[in-house]
């Protein structure tokens, strides 16, 4: 934990310098003095806590001082504690004395993140992220949590990748990184507090060995897109040397336009290796939790006190308030099973389910279908493979006639549904939806995320 505490202090100094530069730039644009521009950014305390105190003591007039907030990319081998490291740094930041709302970017589609597996997402965090269940590794979003929990304010931006392995379609992942960065920059332009709080980026282990001409192509795409200035490598000396070699070259300096610091941090002693069977069970539990919710388990002390008072654990606690509302322990959700016509919901698949390597194609031949080309699915045809497959409902209201590929690839996700059965005779299918909203005129994307209700 000492390494993470030292990193937090260093990042706090970077945030203090970024806030100072933000106030100075705002004062110059408004033509006012620095004192009148302090109110433009929420900041508690002049020094910004323990780390801010060190930053405040630095020479404020040094033009060579780095005034960029921390934009951190965390990489490492499989099961090395990357997500835990991200959450530690985020929770340290939001618990400081100075107001801080860092942007958490999850590029690991196998993690589930804020919603379910198969997605990449980003969210501005202004309260500590809880770790109470593997079904919600980054907290509960506002659509499925009681308002009493602080994490219920999470409103992430989500894009659909459709697979848990980034090797499945590395080209699509690279495109989603650029799209997600553009949308994050739009948010940061209007949010000064988040802009000066920095970015924490979580990555999967497969980021380091994608089947492309450059095996570090996704790492470079994330670094250059989000303008990363700090790369943290967890517990791998060889990978640390490779990252230093890549991002210290002249080509890397020319693309990033700023120095990139590569640091190695020790692997947490509590990290354990997880087998594939356990990971599959967790992913299935995350999908189930999205539709049905999960009961909120009381801490042992509170459960014992409630039971001794004559109550039963799992009921609402009379007299106990959280956030001004009565605490409810039953957080079960009630999804709906709806019958939808084939004409109401348009379903697309990005590329094919699997691609043969280019070396397996005949000499001079090329693929007729690209890896990033949306293909419309006809549910009336057999063998489409969409039963018990999770579909991501996009923000598009109807399939656009022009630039359909770009519109579908760039669209964010409104929610998720699962097709439970298909009636080809009547041209309709039964879908499990989280709410009773109509799906008429909607566009959905399928992938390889399967879930069957037990």
């Amino acid at each position: 934990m000492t390494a993470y505490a030292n990193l937090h202090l260093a990042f706090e100094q970077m945030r203090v310098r970024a806030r100072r530069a933000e106030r100075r730039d705002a004062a110059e644009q408004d033509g006012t003095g620095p004192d009148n521009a302090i109110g433009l950014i929420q900041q508690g305390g002049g020094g910004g806590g323990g780390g801010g105190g060190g930053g405040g003591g630095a020479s404020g007039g040094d033009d060579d001082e780095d005034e960029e907030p921390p934009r951190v990319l965390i990489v490492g081998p499989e099961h090395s504690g990357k997500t835990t490291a991200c959450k530690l740094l985020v929770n340290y930041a939001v618990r400081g004395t100075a107001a801080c709302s860092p942007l958490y970017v999850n590029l690991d589609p196998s993690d589930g993140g804020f919603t379910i597996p198969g997605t990449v997402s980003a969210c501005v965090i202004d309260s500590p992220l809880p770790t109470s269940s593997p079904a919600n590794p980054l907290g509960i979003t506002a659509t499925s949590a009681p308002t009493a929990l602080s994490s219920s304010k999470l409103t992430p931006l989500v894009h659909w990748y459709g697979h848990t392995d980034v090797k499945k379609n590395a080209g699509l992942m690279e495109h989603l990184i650029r799209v997600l960065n553009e949308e994050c920059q739009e948010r940061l332009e209007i949010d000064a507090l988040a802009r000066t709080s920095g970015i924490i980026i979580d990555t999967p282990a497969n980021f380091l060995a994608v089947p492309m001409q450059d095996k570090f192509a996704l790492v470079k795409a994330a670094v250059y897109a989000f303008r990363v200035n700090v790369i943290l490598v967890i517990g791998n000396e060889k990978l640390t040397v490779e990252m230093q070699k890549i991002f210290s070259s002249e080509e890397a300096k020319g693309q990033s336009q700023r120095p990139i610091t590569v640091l190695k941090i020790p692997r947490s002693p509590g990290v354990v290796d997880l087998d594939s069977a356990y990971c599959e069970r967790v992913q299935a539990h995350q999908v189930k939790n999205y539709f049905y919710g999960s009961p909120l388990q009381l801490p042992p002390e509170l459960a014992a006190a409630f039971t001794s008072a004559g109550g039963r654990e799992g009921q609402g606690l009379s007299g106990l308030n959280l956030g001004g509302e009565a605490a409810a322990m039953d957080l079960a959700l009630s999804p709906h099973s709806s019958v939808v016509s084939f004409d109401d919901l348009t379903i697309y698949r990005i590329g094919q389910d699997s691609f043969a390597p280019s070396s397996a194609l005949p000499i001079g031949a090329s693929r007729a279908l690209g890896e990033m080309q949306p293909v419309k699915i006809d549910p009336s045809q057999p063998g489409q493979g969409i039963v018990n497959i999770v579909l991501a409902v996009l923000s598009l209201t109807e399939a656009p006639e022009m630039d359909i590929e770009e519109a579908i690839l760039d669209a964010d996700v409104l929610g998720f549904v699962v097709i439970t059965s298909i009636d080809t005779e009547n041209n309709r299918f039964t879908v499990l939806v989280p709410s009773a909203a109509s799906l008429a005129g909607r566009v959905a994307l399928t992938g390889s995320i399967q879930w069957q209700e037990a």
Side-chain angles (χ1 to χ4, degrees):
M1 299 299 292
T2 303
Y4 294 105
N6 293 335
L7 285 172
H8 167 64
L9 294 178
F11 293 158
E12 277 297 293
Q13 293 178 5
M14 297 175 67
R15 294 185 180 103
V16 168
R17 293 194 291 266
R19 291 165 186 152
R20 184 188 301 126
E22 184 84 11
R23 291 196 302 269
R24 184 184 65 244
D25 294 342
E28 293 176 355
Q29 292 178 3
D30 296 342
T32 59
D35 294 338
N36 296 330
I38 294 179
L40 296 176
I41 302 177
Q42 293 183 355
Q43 182 175 351
S59 176
D62 189 2
D63 295 336
D64 296 332
E65 190 177 32
D66 187 9
E67 297 177 343
E68 295 285 340
R71 290 186 285 267
V72 186
L73 180 77
I74 298 183
V75 297
E78 191 175 11
H79 306 312
S80 58
K82 295 182 292 297
T83 302
T84 300
C86 291
K87 293 172 66 174
L88 280 172
L89 295 176
V90 168
N91 287 344
Y92 277 155
V94 299
R95 286 172 173 166
T97 57
C100 188
S101 297
L103 177 66
Y104 191 113
V105 179
N106 179 38
L107 299 181
D108 187 356
S110 66
D111 194 25
F114 300 101
T115 52
I116 67 172
T119 60
V120 294
S121 54
C123 184
V124 174
I125 308 297
D126 59 3
S127 59
L129 294 175
T131 307
S132 57
S133 169
N136 305 112
L138 300 180
I140 308 175
T141 58
T143 57
S144 60
T147 55
L149 295 180
S150 59
S151 62
S152 65
K153 296 182 293 183
L154 297 177
T155 53
L157 172 68
V158 181
H159 283 271
W160 180 246
Y161 174 66
H163 315 285
T164 58
D165 189 355
V166 296
K167 295 181 180 180
K168 191 83 172 180
N169 196 337
L172 176 59
M173 175 61 70
E174 187 175 4
H175 176 79
L176 292 178
I177 290 175
R178 293 194 296 265
V179 173
L180 189 63
N181 167 68
E182 293 175 359
E183 295 173 337
C184 289
Q185 296 305 321
E186 293 178 0
R187 167 62 188 270
L188 296 180
E189 287 179 0
I190 61 175
D191 191 341
L193 180 59
R195 185 169 60 249
T196 57
S197 298
I199 305 175
I200 306 295
I201 305 174
D202 188 13
T203 63
N206 292 337
F207 245 45
L208 306 172
V210 294
M212 303 177 70
Q213 186 175 4
D214 183 0
K215 68 176 183 178
F216 295 118
L218 294 182
V219 176
K220 293 180 180 179
V223 168
Y224 299 143
F226 289 95
R227 298 184 300 166
V228 170
N229 51 17
V230 178
I231 299 177
L232 299 181
V233 182
I234 299 182
N236 194 308
E237 184 67 31
K238 179 181 178 181
L239 181 59
T240 304
V241 174
E242 290 180 339
M243 292 292 102
Q244 291 174 344
K245 184 183 301 183
I246 291 173
F247 294 105
S248 63
S249 63
E250 295 299 328
E251 180 183 356
K253 292 180 180 178
Q255 294 192 40
S256 64
Q257 300 296 326
R258 61 185 51 81
I260 299 176
T261 303
V262 179
L263 299 174
K264 177 190 173 184
I265 56 178
R267 177 174 173 172
S268 175
V271 174
V272 297
D273 294 332
L274 305 177
D275 55 40
S276 58
Y278 174 81
C279 294
E280 291 177 358
R281 292 197 302 268
V282 169
Q283 292 169 358
H285 184 52
Q286 290 172 342
V287 177
K288 180 181 179 181
N289 184 79
Y290 173 81
F291 289 101
Y292 289 96
S294 61
L296 181 62
Q297 300 295 330
L298 288 173
E301 298 80 4
L302 185 57
F306 178 59
T307 304
S308 62
R312 290 183 301 171
E313 184 177 352
Q315 290 182 336
L317 301 181
S318 58
L320 177 61
N321 292 328
L322 293 176
E325 297 186 6
M329 296 299 106
D330 187 10
L331 305 183
L333 304 177
S334 299
H336 296 261
S337 183
S338 304
V339 178
V340 181
S341 172
F342 287 173
D343 298 330
D344 290 342
L345 184 63
T346 307
I347 303 175
Y348 286 86
R349 176 185 287 115
I350 305 299
Q352 296 178 342
D353 288 338
S354 60
F355 285 94
S358 301
S359 58
L361 298 176
I363 297 176
S366 60
R367 295 189 179 97
L369 183 63
E371 297 181 357
M372 295 175 54
Q373 180 179 350
V375 180
K376 188 175 181 180
I377 294 178
D378 186 1
S380 62
Q381 299 297 323
Q384 295 297 329
I386 58 176
V387 179
N388 297 326
I389 295 293
V390 178
L391 304 180
V393 181
L394 304 181
S395 57
L396 301 175
T397 55
E398 59 182 5
E401 297 180 358
M402 302 297 293
D403 298 330
I404 180 173
E405 296 184 7
E406 182 178 357
I408 292 178
L409 292 175
D410 296 351
D412 58 328
V413 176
L414 295 179
F416 305 93
V417 301
V418 175
I419 296 179
T420 56
S421 64
I422 297 180
D423 184 1
T424 55
E425 294 182 358
N426 298 314
N427 291 334
R428 61 186 184 183
F429 38 58
T430 304
V431 297
L432 182 68
V433 295
S435 63
S438 174
L439 295 177
R442 289 294 180 182
V443 179
L445 283 178
T446 183
S448 61
I449 308 298
Q450 300 183 11
W451 180 74
Q452 186 173 4
E453 188 172 357

